[in-house]
Amino acid sequence: MPRRGSALEIAARLGFGARGVVYCLVGGLALLAAFGAGGQTGGSRNALRSLLDQPFGRALLGAVALGLACFAAWQAIAALLDADRHGTSAKGLAVRAGQGLGGAINAGLALSALSLALGWGSGGGPEDQAARDWTAWLMTKPFGQWLVGLVGVAVAGTGLVWLWKAWRGKVLDRLSLPADARPWAQSMGRLGFAARGVVFVIIGGFVVAAALHSNSREVQGLGGALRTLETQPYGWALLGLTAAGLLAFGIFGFVQARYRRIDPPEARDAARAIDRGIDALRR
């Protein structure tokens, strides 16, 4: 059974649950769109806006915003203090860098959800436009096209890693699951990681194309990736399968919230982890 207690552990579990809610919304809405039953092929922000139409929608958005903020904090701390014990090898540092980036993304999504909950605006612009904005900004920097291209390769590479993880079925490594729950949880996790892998490969491909053509307008976010699938031959089937996978990943997020092993480092261990990380970056 998972250990309970620390504030950081509670925050992490709330965060995994909040991420599960977001993916359930994205996947569920896209699944409805695939079969012509309403819904939408939008990204996370559009999915969060859909909560406003529900009873107690603003309260639900506030709860999701809190959970996403907790998840952002957990990812930032995990990256900095190596809470998941990835180490300071090249692979470990890359994973921790991904956690840090994920923390920044979820912090932005938490702010969008909070803005919607408090009626401060539309919760930010569409995700596709936000991706184009940062791409355009990065392209103005020295070696900007190369940097954008590297980002695209990294995003697509992350997607390929998730596809490989889904293929191998190693999705339960950090979970302390009862034996009778492992088969269905593994199925949910494999389908979920495969769907995330597909959309990240597509998103990364768009970013690489933008770098090659020096055109930030070619960049697409999650919603753009789903719409791309929808416009292919048998697009409804491709979109439906991917949407079902994203919904499965959302459900898997609830499993992670309950059963993931979370062992935050003690203060002394945290200081040592920071020192090791700094030494590794200097080498």
Side-chain angles (χ1 to χ4, degrees):
M1 294 294 291
R3 187 177 60 82
R4 299 176 182 273
S6 74
L8 182 57
E9 180 183 354
I10 294 170
R13 296 195 186 284
L14 287 174
F16 279 109
R19 186 178 68 169
V21 170
V22 173
Y23 270 94
C24 282
L25 288 171
V26 172
L29 290 171
L31 192 61
L32 291 174
F35 291 97
Q40 57 182 327
T41 52
S44 302
R45 291 180 184 175
N46 287 336
L48 289 173
R49 288 189 189 98
S50 70
L51 287 178
L52 288 174
D53 298 327
Q54 307 305 314
F56 308 105
R58 294 190 185 277
L60 291 172
L61 273 169
V64 172
L66 174 61
L68 289 172
C70 288
F71 195 52
W74 159 251
Q75 288 182 301
I77 292 171
L80 182 63
L81 306 183
D82 195 18
D84 283 332
R85 311 299 191 269
H86 291 296
T88 56
S89 65
K91 178 182 177 181
L93 289 174
V95 173
R96 290 167 65 182
Q99 288 178 316
L101 179 60
I105 292 172
N106 280 295
L109 192 56
L111 285 174
S112 294
L114 182 62
S115 296
L116 287 169
L118 297 178
W120 288 347
S122 61
E127 289 172 34
D128 292 350
Q129 186 57 51
R132 294 182 191 118
D133 290 343
W134 75 254
T135 303
W137 172 83
L138 189 56
M139 282 186 177
T140 64
K141 306 304 175 184
F143 306 104
Q145 281 184 254
W146 286 98
L147 292 174
V148 171
L150 287 174
V151 170
V153 170
V155 172
T158 300
L160 291 174
V161 169
W162 284 336
L163 285 167
W164 178 244
K165 189 172 184 177
W167 176 260
R168 295 184 64 194
K170 297 191 69 174
V171 297
L172 305 181
D173 290 349
R174 296 185 180 276
L175 301 181
S176 298
L177 279 167
D180 59 347
R182 294 183 70 85
W184 69 263
Q186 185 177 50
S187 297
M188 287 289 175
R190 294 181 72 175
L191 183 57
F193 274 98
R196 287 187 85 200
V198 167
V199 296
F200 266 65
V201 168
I202 294 173
I203 292 169
F206 280 129
V207 176
V208 170
L212 290 173
H213 302 150
S214 189
N215 184 1
S216 63
R217 288 176 295 180
E218 296 190 28
V219 174
Q220 303 283 343
L222 174 56
L226 293 174
R227 288 189 293 273
T228 298
L229 289 171
E230 191 176 20
T231 59
Q232 304 306 306
Y234 301 102
W236 66 272
L238 292 173
L239 177 61
L241 285 172
T242 305
L246 295 176
L247 178 59
F249 189 77
I251 297 171
F252 188 71
F254 301 141
V255 176
Q256 290 176 304
R258 176 64 179 87
Y259 292 106
R260 195 183 193 277
R261 289 190 295 273
I262 298 171
D263 186 22
E266 300 294 336
R268 184 178 302 174
D269 295 334
R272 290 173 181 169
I274 294 174
D275 290 339
R276 287 195 298 268
I278 293 173
D279 290 341
L281 290 174
R282 287 174 176 171
R283 288 198 294 268

